[in-house]
Amino acid sequence: MSRSDAEILWEVARLLARDAANVSRGPGERPALPPLLFLTDPDRTPRPWETAARLPPGAGVIFRHFGLPGAQETALRLRRITRDRGVLLLIGLDADMAEAVGADGLHLPERAVRRAADLRTAHPDWLITGAAHAAAAVGVPGLDALIVSPVFPAGGVSANRAALGMTAFRSLAASSSTPVCALGGIRASNARRLIGSGACGLAGVSAIQAAFAPA
């Protein structure tokens, strides 16, 4: 029997986390970085709670609402589901929302990663991740992980960015003292290429939704 995309993605994610276990544990009171992260997008994932409800325990959700109406209600719905599933919830950029819904942390877009140090001081128990598209973001203090994209040709907001490719991704991961999670164009068919790359996990939007959402 062939394995499902969900099984393959989760297996690879756990292998990456195991290989990078020395750098991907959350220090102090912070939770460990999930090996598999589902990033929401209002256009591509209009019902993110359906995917969140089927993620394996230990995975994570990054809720990116981009200021759309009803975001608070969706965040609360995701918080209830993720708590029941044993899945972490991070909020994109909006620290006030993260506090209000009792999220596990915050995800910062690349333009805002320099806020991480101040946020770490204010919220020592939060898991804080930051987006990176180039080596310039490596070494930013206060981050628990960088989510680097696009590794492979991708859609959405990364569609106009040239893919890093495996050689550049490996180089960036090797130069980073912060754990690096891979994002962009990752599917069950190519996820195994990340094994041995230095990635501590993988992230996705459409591919994770397709793999874990109900048929």
Side-chain angles (χ1 to χ4, degrees), residues 149-205:
S149 70
V151 180
F152 305 119
V157 295
S158 295
N160 295 325
R161 295 182 184 272
L164 289 167
M166 290 306 305
T167 299
F169 179 81
R170 284 192 182 95
S171 177
L172 192 152
S175 68
S176 177
S177 59
T178 305
V180 170
C181 184
L183 169 68
I186 300 168
R187 304 178 299 277
S189 60
N190 63 16
R192 289 190 176 91
R193 293 178 60 189
L194 293 167
I195 296 172
S197 68
C200 65
L202 59 87
V205 184

